[in-house]
Amino acid sequence: MLKNAKTGIICCHGCFGYSSQFGRIEYKLIKEGYKVFNFSYTSPSQSIEYSSNLLMKFLLERYDNKNNLKFIWKEELSALGKTLIYMDKNLNKLVKKKVERNEILQERNEQEKMRLQQMSDVVIDNFHFISHSMGSLVVRKFLINVLQEMSLKDNELQPESENRINPVCDILKNQSEIKFIQISPLLGGRSEFARKLKFLYPVLPYVVRNNEKGKETCVEELMNDTLFNDKYQEDFWWNENSDFQQKLHLYDIVTSNPIVFNPFLERPNDLVLTEKEQMESRPNYILPKKVFKINSTHNYVLFKKEVLETISNILKQ
């Protein structure tokens, strides 16, 4: 472990989600000393495979390769996360009547300089993941891509000119444990809700932009049920003999609410996914380290204190 190194937490939202949904989670994790990389992407406008490739690009863009001895990273927060952290640092001063405006501005500038300095000089020696909903598929596809790249490098199949160092792969390869917290996960790549909304398919091109011409967006993939095929396990789950099988530990936070009603879904559900969709369709050899069942709706779960504490405890273990 590198001296003064930090743990990086990679957050990935789901379909039609946004990075600020992780705002309260970011705030808590940063106060506990973690460095957060909150991935924001136009989820409904592209395939899951495309989004997983963008996740790798997102991380590599925050890597400073000027220093060949350390992995220097630039933290990435959502707008809500930045606001919560700023308010926490400044609220007490702002409510004092006798504090001069110039003093507040000067203090704010000094804090911003310190924050930028901290962001530009972060040494990361391990990563963990938190996903929500369809983000589970994006992260798992990302991890499969990492395994493939690690395998190519180990077998020296890449041409020498292309055999460049990928710091993300190197960090994940050298970690002894990777924690992956899946919140309300779309585990099997099948969404009953999406399939029953297929009558809206003809209007999708008018309301959802497609970033990959000629390919299905993730919304179309879910409506057409094209993800769950003969290659699903190969595309979204690691092999039984892979390095990840031993060190990648899954923690599933499953949500449902007995009060809410969605006419398209069987109960129990969280308004978007059934409890069954969050727990089934995984290979027999992949078992979660622990499953937490939370009484919540699909999106509100990200703001619940119970979930914040659960995430914190998992990462501290």
Side-chain angles (χ1 to χ4, degrees), residues 45 51 103 107 122 214 219 221 257 288 299:
S45 300
S51 296
E103 292 180 7
E107 179 68 18
V122 179
V219 179
E221 289 175 320
N257 190 313
N299 290 315

Side-chain angles (χ1 to χ4, degrees), residues 8-120:
I9 308 298
I10 300 168
C11 299
C12 183
H13 63 76
C15 187
F16 290 104
Y18 47 93
S19 59
S20 282
Q21 287 178 302
F22 283 100
R24 289 195 68 189
I25 295 174
E26 286 178 310
Y27 175 62
K28 183 168 182 61
L29 293 178
I30 288 170
K31 289 192 73 174
E32 293 180 356
Y34 300 101
K35 295 301 173 184
V36 177
F37 300 86
N38 196 342
F39 178 45
S40 180
Y41 63 111
T42 54
S43 52
S45 300
Q46 57 216 26
S47 66
I48 290 172
E49 181 177 7
Y50 187 84
S51 296
S52 68
N53 292 331
L54 281 185
L55 176 55
M56 177 63 79
K57 182 181 178 183
F58 162 82
L59 291 171
L60 292 178
E61 285 174 347
R62 278 143 191 85
Y63 170 67
D64 183 358
N65 58 6
K66 295 178 182 178
N67 189 327
N68 295 322
L69 300 177
K70 298 178 181 178
F71 299 119
I72 308 296
W73 302 82
K74 294 182 180 179
E75 193 173 46
E76 182 69 21
L77 305 181
S78 69
L80 178 58
K82 291 176 184 177
T83 301
L84 290 173
I85 292 164
Y86 176 78
M87 287 177 63
D88 181 62
K89 291 181 178 179
N90 293 278
L91 189 59
N92 289 335
K93 294 178 181 179
L94 292 173
V95 297
K96 290 181 180 179
K97 294 181 180 180
K98 294 185 179 181
V99 176
E100 296 291 336
R101 176 175 173 78
N102 289 340
E103 292 180 7
I104 296 175
L105 291 175
Q106 183 178 357
E107 179 68 18
R108 186 186 301 174
N109 290 335
E110 290 176 1
Q111 288 182 348
E112 181 65 11
K113 288 179 182 178
M114 290 177 64
R115 186 181 71 83
L116 291 173
Q117 175 61 33
Q118 183 187 33
M119 287 172 58
S120 61

Side-chain angles (χ1 to χ4, degrees), residues 2-3 10 44 46 50 69 151 157-158 162 220 285-286 310:
L2 296 171
K3 187 177 180 180
I10 300 168
Q46 57 216 26
Y50 187 84
L69 300 177
S151 176
L157 296 178
Q158 288 177 301
E162 296 181 7
E220 293 167 327
Y285 58 85
I286 294 181
T310 298

